[in-house]
């Protein structure tokens, strides 16, 4: 298939692009490099462009006979979305509507969309199924929910075929060590802990140890970025015109902040000083997926289950790329 990936120079997008190319799909990355890394994408697959530039998007769709889009381009800092919601609604909502309208104008009918477990807010039932009420607790989650709704309406009215994949915690790095996680600024737990192992930071701060969990620290469902990538390819093949697939992508296993830090200590052989500080606003106690619907619908299985193999792959990349992709 001829596939265009918006945000394909970012963390999840670049791993999906690599996997699509390996699977023999004609793959194009469309990215404005506001956060993405030019070096994360093969030279001859890259188009520099902005989501708001509908003419450029439409030209890319026509020139490369694009049949489907994977849409990764979005801002994803939950805290920043609270202090600067305009930035998030502009890019994540207005930008995505620009994309959907360029797709309509050029007859591109399929999209796989990066949604998030943040659309559930604080879930009533964990593990979380797709039947859980979607009630985001921050603007980031709302921007993703708005687009899920828009895609449902576009499917009903215009025949769009879509998949909204609700990621839990994306983590890890490509098996061959060529690409990995490099956010500027970095806020995610695993890369921060590995920075401490590398001596780039003095300690890891644990945001609260009085949560309602066995060790008091928050539990998350860490899913390997390559497992996210294979789910995207499977979803692409299952999408039907006028219909939507709404699927959680997680492993179904949770790890606490302390368990993640201990796994990093074991894998790196480093001491990794940690200190408990105040809770971070807006962190639910436990976010773990019931991903049985994705397993069944996509005939898909995450290959990396348990926190250790995920940390091992993240460490392989971090150790060899202490400065990430560099400046
Ligand atoms: N944490 C720490 N110390 C740190 C960083 C994180 O204790 O220095 C804790 C957090 O409080 C949380 C856990 O580690 O309990 C994981 O935090 P991350 O920031 O790595 O990930 P989140 O679960 O907050 O966020 C992820 C995605 C978001 C998405 C969200 C859905 O990064 O894009 O899941 O809830 F919105």
């Amino acid at each position: 298939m001829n596939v265009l990936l918006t945000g394909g120079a970012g963390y999840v997008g670049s791993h999906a692009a690599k996997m699509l190319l390996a699977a023999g799909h004609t793959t194009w990355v469309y990215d404005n490099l506001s956060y993405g890394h030019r070096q994360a994408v093969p030279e001859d697959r890259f188009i520099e462009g902005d989501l708001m530039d509908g003419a450029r998007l439409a030209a890319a769709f026509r020139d490369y006979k694009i049949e489907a889009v994977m849409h990764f381009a979005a801002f994803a800092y939950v805290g920043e979305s609270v202090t600067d919601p305009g930035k998030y609604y502009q890019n994540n909502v207005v930008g995505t509507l620009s994309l959907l309208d360029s797709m309509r104008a050029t007859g591109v009918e399929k999209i796989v969309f990066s949604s998030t477990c943040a659309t559930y807010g604080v879930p009533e039932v964990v593990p979380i199924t797709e039947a859980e009420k979607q009630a985001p607790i921050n603007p980031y989650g709302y921007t993703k929910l708005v687009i899920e709704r828009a895609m449902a309406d576009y499917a009903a009215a215009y025949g769009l075929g879509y998949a909204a994949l609700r990621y839990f915690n994306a983590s890890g790095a490509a098996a061959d060590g060529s690409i990995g996680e490099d956010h500027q600024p970095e806020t995610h737990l695993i890369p921060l802990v590995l920075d401490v192992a590398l001596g780039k930071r003095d300690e890891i701060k644990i945001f609260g140890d009085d949560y309602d969990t066995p060790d008091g620290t928050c539990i998350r469902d860490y899913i390997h970025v390559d497992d996210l990538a294979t789910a995207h390819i499977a979803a692409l093949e299952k999408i039907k015109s006028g219909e939507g697939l709404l699927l959680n992508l997680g492993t179904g296993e949770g790890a606490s902040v302390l368990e993640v830090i201990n796994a990093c200590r074991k894998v790196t052989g480093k001491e990794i000083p940690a200190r408990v500080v105040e809770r971070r606003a807006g962190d639910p106690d436990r976010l773990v997926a019931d991903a049985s619907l994705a397993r069944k619908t996509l005939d898909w299985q995450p290959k990396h289950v348990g926190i250790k193999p995920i940390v091992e792959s993240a460490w392989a990349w971090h150790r060899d790329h202490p400065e990430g992709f560099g400046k």
Side-chain angles (χ1 to χ4, degrees):
M1 222 184 265
N2 298 335
V3 190
L4 181 139
L5 285 71
T6 70
Y11 174 43
V12 183
S14 60
H15 287 77
K18 185 174 166 61
M19 193 81 69
L20 275 164
L21 284 163
H25 294 283
T26 304
T27 305
W28 297 97
V29 164
Y30 185 94
D31 198 300
N32 68 1
L33 297 179
S34 60
Y35 287 95
H37 302 284
R38 182 70 194 77
Q39 308 92 302
V41 184
E43 188 80 34
D44 60 345
R45 301 286 102 198
F46 183 73
I47 305 163
E48 187 162 352
D50 199 278
L51 276 185
M52 296 304 293
D53 190 346
R56 189 162 173 75
L57 271 170
F61 293 153
R62 286 198 195 94
D63 291 351
Y64 302 114
K65 302 189 169 47
I66 297 300
E67 299 165 272
V69 169
M70 289 188 185
H71 178 37
F72 300 95
F75 296 148
Y77 291 109
V78 170
E80 186 186 51
S81 82
V82 176
T83 54
D84 193 2
K87 175 173 173 180
Y88 280 71
Y89 281 97
Q90 273 300 329
N91 187 66
N92 296 6
V93 177
V94 180
T96 303
L97 295 178
S98 157
L99 170 70
L100 290 175
D101 288 340
S102 296
M103 288 172 62
R104 260 184 81 202
T106 52
V108 182
E109 289 174 346
K110 292 181 182 178
I111 183 167
V112 182
F113 172 64
S114 303
S115 190
T116 169
C117 66
T119 60
Y120 296 115
V122 182
E124 274 167 23
V125 183
V126 182
I128 304 168
T129 70
E130 291 79 0
E132 180 69 36
K133 195 169 102 203
Q134 287 179 293
I137 55 168
N138 51 60
Y140 167 68
Y142 269 106
T143 64
K144 294 289 182 172
L145 185 55
V146 167
I147 296 305
E148 284 200 11
R149 182 69 243 173
M151 291 191 305
D153 293 336
Y154 278 48
Y158 311 132
L160 180 75
Y162 72 98
L165 303 181
R166 299 174 185 156
Y167 308 168
F168 282 66
N169 287 58
S171 44
D176 67 0
S178 59
I179 52 175
E181 183 168 14
D182 178 9
H183 296 106
Q184 296 294 337
E186 189 55 81
T187 60
H188 296 95
L189 180 64
I190 293 174
L192 287 176
V193 178
L194 296 179
D195 278 352
V196 180
L198 283 172
K200 291 176 65 188
R201 291 173 196 268
D202 294 338
E203 62 175 14
I204 185 74
K205 293 187 173 72
I206 298 171
F207 296 146
D209 67 350
D210 55 353
Y211 284 93
D212 186 15
T213 61
D215 67 23
T217 65
C218 288
I219 292 178
R220 295 288 178 271
D221 184 338
Y222 295 88
I223 175 160
H224 196 280
V225 67
D226 279 347
D227 287 324
L228 289 178
T230 54
H232 280 72
I233 297 175
L236 194 61
E237 286 158 7
K238 300 277 178 195
I239 290 173
K240 290 202 185 77
S241 174
E243 293 178 17
L245 295 171
L246 307 171
L247 299 171
N248 287 341
L249 293 184
T251 65
E253 276 195 26
S256 73
V257 173
L258 272 177
E259 285 169 338
V260 169
I261 296 170
N262 282 330
C264 293
R265 286 175 174 143
K266 277 209 188 88
V267 167
T268 64
K270 308 279 181 186
E271 191 192 343
I272 311 186
R275 181 164 60 95
V276 178
V277 299
E278 287 292 284
R279 288 181 173 206
R280 187 175 70 177
D283 271 336
D285 305 65
R286 283 180 72 215
L287 293 173
V288 177
D290 179 332
S292 46
L293 188 62
R295 287 173 194 256
K296 200 170 120 214
T297 310
L298 303 178
D299 193 16
W300 162 87
Q301 292 286 347
K303 280 196 191 143
H304 310 73
V305 179
I307 195 63
K308 194 156 166 268
I310 291 179
V311 167
E312 279 166 350
S313 91
W315 176 236
W317 195 78
H318 269 260
R319 192 189 46 211
D320 293 346
H321 303 83
E323 301 306 324
F325 289 100
K327 288 284 164 285

